Amino acid sequence: ASFTVSLHKADNTTVMIKLKPGLSPSCRIRMKTVIMSELKIKPGENVTFTFTCSTPEKYFITEIQKNIDCVSGPCPFGDVHLYPPGLPRLNRTYIWDVKASTKAGLELKFSAPWLRQIEPGETCPDSISYNINSCIDKAMVNIGTFCRNGSVSRVKLLGGVVMSLHLPWHLPLSTSGFNIANRASIKRLCIIESVLKGESSITLMSPNYPLGFPEDELMTWQFVIPPNMRASVFFHNYSLSNCERKEERVEYYIPGSPSNPEVFKLSDSQPANIAGTFNMSLQGCDQDAQNPGVLRLLFRVVVQHPQVDENVTHLVDLSKEKNMTVTIHSEGWPSHIPLMSEPICLICKDPRTCDRVLTLTSGAVYRISFLCKDLSRLRITAEKGIGCMDIRWCQRKIYSLSVPKAITRLPIRLHKFIWKLLATDLINVEITSLSLKLQQYVPEQKCNTSYSYSIVSATPETELNVGVFCPGGSIEKIQMRNNITISLKTFGKGFINETIPQDLKMSFVPHIKDECIFTVSPNPKAKVYLQTPNWHYGLPPYVSVSWFIVVPSKQTARLGFSEDRMGIACETGRAYVNVKEEAPGAEEIVRREDELLPQPRSMYHNFWVNVSNCKPADKTQLTLQFWVTFADKQIDLGIILAVVAGAGVLTAIGLTVCCVKKKKKKTQNPMVGVYNANVNTQMPGRKGLFGKGRQNNESHVYAVIDDAVVYGHLLKESNGSVAPEVDVYRPFDGPIGSLPPSPPSFSFRKDIKLSSNTEEEPLPLTDTDQDTYTFAHQKSGQSEDNGGTNKKDKGDTSVPLLENKEQDGLVE
């Protein structure tokens, strides 16, 4: 097909058809007998031509430039048409170069649906784009690139303008979509007018973005807002130049404001909740010639309906809190940045200071409000720090780890509350939950509450994820070393109206040997699953963890491990599992990593479970899980039969003794008093008054002897039973204290500052002598408790009452 282009000389229009950049001339232009790769048609020419290929749109583009002189003659104001007709269907660029005096202003007015500014490198959905450049003193300033369907209705410029319209070859467009009008001087680089209707948001940029705004220039954006709407301004990206004189700033003219213009720095939080139309201006400065820097700005204007509770404020009293921050933000912050098209939620700490994110600090009282239709899209994240540098000042303090009511009373869902517990190396952290207790999250026992706690113990070298816990379990206490981070995370909407109170408390305690010590006090007939910390990555090398399991007095515990072996191979040292009951003479069970773990076994007393790691070989991790169940104690039938049999034997012996006594009394005289010269009936005096101890005297010998007792040896000789001892003091030989069983020592343990070798055995509470008590009246003035536990303090109490020879004669 052939094309004919005819240009009038008065139109001052030039047409250039040329190859796309970077393409080889596989297709050419033929004009009569001349073959060419580029064709230029000047004003007043009439040219007919064809292409040597059937798809010229793949190879060629067309530029149509019209020069308009508004300096030497009148300007052709009005609608701008696409001229000339009859052009081939190629990608086309129309350029209107308008020269005008800087004493006058030009206005580009766009027809609906107006324009939308885009960032450099961004393309328009329909491939139709406008580019506006301003010419001042032969300097070209790029006002911006725009697509159709936006809010920019007019652009006013000072001096000349170069306007470009880019059209794709497959979209026929009959009109340019704008007109040119003459205006008085605007005394600034440009004015961009944007009309916003209904709830919407727009993004705008400073001229030359992302390059620098012209030095010491001024430009203005005019925003036309419906009177029943509210507008807010947000700066998303900006940079400042190096000023020698003046200061770069943003000025707002807001109708009804008592302080127009309101001046802000680019680093300030910009005005929000603006009612009605307003102007915003950007002012540059005189830049440093040696290092000018770059002034640029990308910002967003959001328009939304005023909220029903627009004037409702919420009191947030943080005046009594310390080291705490409260951040109110949109869901997914900070990793998820809401799209420009998403509805916006604003948090305001005063009527004109609103933002997507608001951070409140402790020590003050705030009155906040919300510009948001759906408050369920907002979240609260809070953080509180608690520290202890000297155990003498904070050992007896108990800190409550509960969410303050100032937060729970807000109509916003709490996302996370973080406590950071900081202490020196020799101070550890103890958290308790005595009423609710904690349940460790494991696949076999999942949490069904509205919140959970994540506990992490951190040092500069390593991080130990202790686990995830929720209320309603069996763990009363956790003792941990190093700095601790506890994160309360909520699930669903139930936490705001949570009826179960929080009872988690924290205190600082002296150094502990293990990395963690759990105290577990299960409910009757409960089945508890427990597992080692750092479950997904394995217990760190040389770390020791202990569990103290409380067994109710009328119950029996059943302990079992979920796997047969530890499942690791040690590169250095040994890994151990220790189990020990807190009972006299209880056997301690010890297993190494190369041995089978203990089979399920019954535990009748409180017991310890200790897991100590070695340095595992590559690709092996120590992860151990065990369970504990409880049942009521069952009395053994064999024990019952033995008790009944023993009672029968004792009854028979008792009857025999009674018969012997009755028979003897018929032939013997009444019992007589026997005098023993070696027996003392006085109470011991004060310390140091007696030379002999109780063990060396005979104060426990009866001064009056029953006749039947004299013949007691006859019962012994006849294999009779010996009468049980009466009033005999027996020493307590059970466990003293609550210390976990110590695993076999090895030289590769790390991070244990207190060696177990330095621990001393507890001193006995009293003598282990089992002496029969004697009773006597205390003299006035003597102490009731002068008999010490040391033998050297026991005095001689012997005052003879009966002569030995008289007693011997009686026995005979």
Side-chain angles (χ1 to χ4, degrees):
S2 63
F3 303 93
T4 300
V5 177
S6 180
L7 299 178
H8 301 289
K9 192 169 186 178
D11 291 335
N12 204 14
T13 301
T14 303
V15 176
M16 175 73 73
I17 301 174
K18 56 185 179 179
L19 284 170
K20 291 181 179 180
L23 291 182
S24 60
S26 302
C27 185
R28 291 178 178 271
I29 302 170
R30 178 184 291 117
M31 190 173 60
K32 296 182 180 180
T33 60
V34 179
I35 302 296
M36 59 189 74
S37 57
E38 184 175 287
L39 174 62
K40 184 176 182 180
I41 307 173
K42 297 178 182 180
E45 293 182 350
N46 188 349
V47 177
T48 300
F49 60 94
T50 60
F51 294 97
T52 60
C53 62
S54 60
T55 55
E57 67 274 7
K58 295 182 179 179
Y59 304 96
F60 290 95
I61 59 175
T62 303
E63 286 185 0
I64 305 100
Q65 180 168 334
K66 181 179 179 64
N67 297 320
I68 302 174
D69 187 1
C70 293
V71 176
S72 57
C75 286
F77 297 125
D79 291 337
V80 176
H81 301 282
L82 299 182
Y83 175 83
L87 293 174
R89 297 183 63 186
L90 304 176
N91 290 343
R92 306 180 302 283
T93 300
Y94 291 90
I95 302 172
W96 294 271
D97 187 353
V98 182
K99 291 180 172 57
S101 171
T102 56
K103 296 180 180 180
L106 293 176
E107 178 183 279
L108 305 178
K109 187 176 181 180
F110 302 94
S111 56
W114 301 324
L115 301 183
R116 173 178 62 89
Q117 189 173 7
I118 61 173
E119 296 185 47
E122 190 179 350
T123 58
C124 298
D126 58 2
S127 300
I128 299 175
S129 63
Y130 295 84
N131 186 263
I132 304 173
N133 290 272
S134 176
C135 300
I136 299 178
D137 299 332
K138 299 182 180 179
M140 188 78 71
V141 179
N142 181 16
I143 303 301
T145 302
F146 302 82
C147 301
R148 296 195 298 177
N149 298 319
S151 64
V152 176
S153 59
R154 289 188 294 179
V155 177
K156 302 174 185 179
L157 302 113
L158 182 66
V161 61
V162 177
M163 178 73 180
S164 302
L165 170 61
H166 302 277
L167 298 175
W169 67 271
H170 60 280
L171 287 180
L173 197 66
S174 58
T175 61
S176 63
F178 72 97
N179 61 46
I180 300 177
N182 186 20
R183 290 291 180 264
S185 176
I186 58 176
K187 299 180 181 179
R188 61 199 66 204
L189 176 63
C190 65
I191 299 175
I192 299 177
E193 181 185 82
S194 184
V195 179
L196 296 101
K197 295 182 178 180
E199 288 196 326
S200 59
S201 66
I202 59 169
T203 301
L204 296 167
M205 284 145 275
S206 59
N208 280 346
Y209 187 88
L211 302 178
F213 185 70
E215 182 179 6
D216 196 23
E217 277 291 352
L218 173 67
M219 74 158 294
T220 299
W221 290 271
Q222 291 180 336
F223 300 100
V224 180
I225 311 293
N228 62 334
M229 306 294 285
R230 300 292 183 267
S232 303
V233 180
F234 303 95
F235 287 3
H236 287 274
N237 188 17
Y238 69 90
S239 65
L240 303 175
S241 58
N242 299 315
C243 297
E244 279 190 344
R245 291 185 303 165
K246 301 182 183 179
E247 185 179 9
E248 296 165 337
R249 63 189 184 274
V250 180
E251 298 179 355
Y252 291 87
Y253 181 84
I254 302 173
S257 173
S259 57
N260 279 323
E262 297 185 22
V263 180
F264 291 80
K265 295 180 181 180
L266 275 73
S267 57
D268 292 337
S269 180
Q270 303 302 309
N273 199 23
I274 303 171
T277 299
F278 68 98
N279 294 348
M280 168 185 152
S281 299
L282 176 64
Q283 174 67 64
C285 66
D286 291 335
Q287 299 173 351
D288 184 356
Q290 301 298 325
N291 183 21
V294 174
L295 170 62
R296 60 184 168 207
L297 173 64
L298 182 146
F299 66 99
R300 187 182 180 199
V301 177
V302 177
V303 177
Q304 54 194 151
H305 286 286
Q307 306 306 304
V308 176
D309 57 349
E310 177 186 14
N311 296 322
V312 175
T313 59
H314 302 271
L315 182 68
V316 183
D317 187 357
L318 303 180
S319 58
K320 297 181 181 179
E321 299 290 343
K322 295 181 179 179
N323 301 324
M324 188 170 80
T325 59
V326 178
T327 302
I328 305 175
H329 54 86
S330 58
E331 186 177 9
W333 175 88
S335 57
H336 172 68
I337 300 176
L339 300 175
M340 297 292 188
S341 58
E342 291 184 24
I344 193 169
C345 276
L346 301 179
I347 308 102
C348 307
K349 61 180 179 180
D350 60 58
R352 289 278 301 283
T353 306
C354 306
D355 209 337
R356 281 172 173 257
V357 179
L358 178 63
T359 299
L360 311 175
T361 56
S362 55
V365 179
Y366 303 89
R367 295 184 181 274
I368 64 173
S369 59
F370 302 98
L371 284 177
C372 182
K373 271 191 172 181
D374 186 7
L375 291 180
S376 66
R377 296 193 292 117
L378 292 178
R379 298 288 184 269
I380 297 176
T381 298
E383 183 175 308
K384 182 178 179 66
I386 303 176
C388 179
M389 298 298 108
D390 190 339
I391 192 67
R392 294 175 298 177
W393 296 102
C394 45
Q395 182 174 5
R396 295 185 179 181
K397 290 184 180 180
I398 298 177
Y399 303 86
S400 175
L401 302 185
S402 58
V403 181
K405 291 183 179 180
I407 296 177
T408 58
R409 287 172 178 168
L410 289 174
I412 308 299
R413 174 180 158 186
L414 176 68
H415 170 61
K416 188 180 290 186
F417 198 107
I418 302 170
W419 291 273
K420 291 192 173 181
L421 315 178
L422 307 177
T424 59
D425 291 342
L426 296 179
I427 303 175
N428 298 142
V429 172
E430 175 181 288
I431 62 172
T432 57
S433 178
L434 299 181
S435 59
L436 297 179
K437 302 183 184 179
L438 297 178
Q439 169 188 317
Q440 187 173 14
Y441 176 86
V442 297
E444 289 79 6
Q445 57 182 19
K446 297 182 179 180
C447 297
N448 57 1
T449 57
S450 60
Y451 66 96
S452 67
Y453 299 99
S454 173
I455 303 177
V456 177
S457 170
T459 62
E461 295 81 16
T462 183
E463 183 176 280
L464 181 69
N465 188 349
V466 178
V468 175
F469 304 86
C470 53
S474 303
I475 300 174
E476 285 187 346
K477 181 169 61 178
I478 306 176
Q479 292 177 304
M480 294 166 287
R481 293 168 58 189
N482 309 318
N483 295 327
I484 308 300
T485 299
I486 301 176
S487 301
L488 182 151
K489 188 174 182 181
T490 63
F491 306 97
K493 302 178 181 179
F495 186 81
I496 296 178
N497 299 318
E498 187 68 65
T499 56
I500 300 177
Q502 306 166 65
D503 76 330
L504 198 65
K505 292 179 172 54
M506 185 278 301
S507 59
F508 293 101
V509 296
H511 184 82
I512 61 173
K513 182 176 67 174
D514 291 333
E515 197 74 29
C516 292
I517 299 178
F518 298 84
T519 299
V520 184
S521 180
N523 296 324
K525 299 183 180 179
K527 185 170 186 178
V528 181
Y529 288 90
L530 299 166
Q531 63 186 22
T532 51
N534 236 41
W535 181 257
H536 295 292
Y537 305 100
L539 200 63
Y542 310 117
V543 166
S544 177
V545 183
S546 294
W547 292 263
F548 178 64
I549 316 295
V550 178
V551 180
S553 58
K554 296 182 180 181
Q555 287 196 309
T556 301
R558 187 79 174 169
L559 170 66
F561 291 87
S562 300
E563 301 292 338
D564 294 335
R565 295 180 178 271
M566 296 190 206
I568 65 165
C570 289
E571 179 182 316
T572 308
R574 289 286 195 181
Y576 292 94
V577 171
N578 297 54
V579 179
K580 186 175 182 180
E581 259 185 301
E582 278 202 336
E587 177 188 2
E588 182 172 358
I589 303 170
V590 181
R591 294 290 188 272
R592 290 189 320 225
E593 81 281 354
D594 56 351
E595 298 175 333
L596 290 172
L597 291 173
Q599 293 295 318
R601 59 189 296 114
S602 296
M603 314 295 283
Y604 301 95
H605 305 84
N606 301 343
F607 64 95
W608 288 91
V609 177
N610 174 270
V611 178
S612 301
N613 199 11
C614 60
K615 181 181 180 182
D618 292 339
K619 298 181 181 180
T620 59
Q621 300 173 351
L622 177 54
T623 55
L624 199 64
Q625 185 188 83
F626 61 94
W627 49 263
V628 181
T629 59
F630 293 88
D632 293 335
K633 283 185 178 179
Q634 301 294 330
I635 301 177
D636 192 355
L637 182 60
I639 295 176
I640 296 176
L641 294 176
V643 170
V644 172
V649 172
L650 290 177
T651 303
I653 293 174
L655 291 174
T656 304
V657 171
C658 290
C659 292
V660 172
K661 288 179 65 178
K662 187 174 181 181
K663 185 177 181 181
K664 288 291 181 181
K665 285 184 179 181
K666 290 180 180 181
T667 60
Q668 288 187 348
N669 296 326
M671 64 178 179
V672 295
V674 182
Y675 176 77
N676 185 354
N678 297 323
V679 176
N680 176 30
T681 60
Q682 298 180 0
M683 273 297 288
R686 295 187 180 275
K687 180 178 179 182
L689 297 181
F690 302 99
K692 293 179 65 179
R694 185 179 177 189
Q695 291 180 339
N696 298 327
N697 62 39
E698 297 176 341
S699 60
H700 55 289
V701 180
Y702 285 93
V704 178
I705 305 176
D706 194 323
D707 291 351
V709 178
V710 177
Y711 299 95
H713 67 283
L714 296 176
L715 295 176
K716 295 181 181 180
E717 293 175 359
S718 62
N719 296 326
S721 62
V722 180
E725 295 176 315
V726 181
D727 291 331
V728 176
Y729 175 78
R730 299 185 183 277
F732 176 74
D733 56 357
I736 306 298
S738 297
L739 295 176
S742 298
S745 60
F746 53 92
S747 59
F748 304 101
R749 298 273 303 275
K750 291 185 178 180
D751 299 331
I752 298 180
K753 295 183 174 62
L754 299 179
S755 173
S756 61
N757 296 331
T758 63
E759 297 179 3
E760 297 181 357
E761 292 293 331
L763 294 175
L765 296 179
T766 183
D767 285 338
T768 57
D769 301 323
Q770 299 178 0
D771 293 333
T772 308
Y773 284 137
T774 60
F775 304 92
H777 295 286
Q778 180 183 4
K779 293 182 180 180
S780 62
Q782 288 183 334
S783 172
E784 293 183 0
D785 186 17
N786 279 331
T789 58
N790 295 329
K791 293 174 66 176
K792 66 180 181 179
D793 293 338
K794 297 177 182 178
D796 184 8
T797 60
S798 61
V799 177
L801 296 180
L802 297 175
E803 295 296 335
N804 291 337
K805 59 182 180 180
E806 294 178 3
Q807 185 178 357
D808 294 341
L810 179 63
V811 174
E812 294 175 357

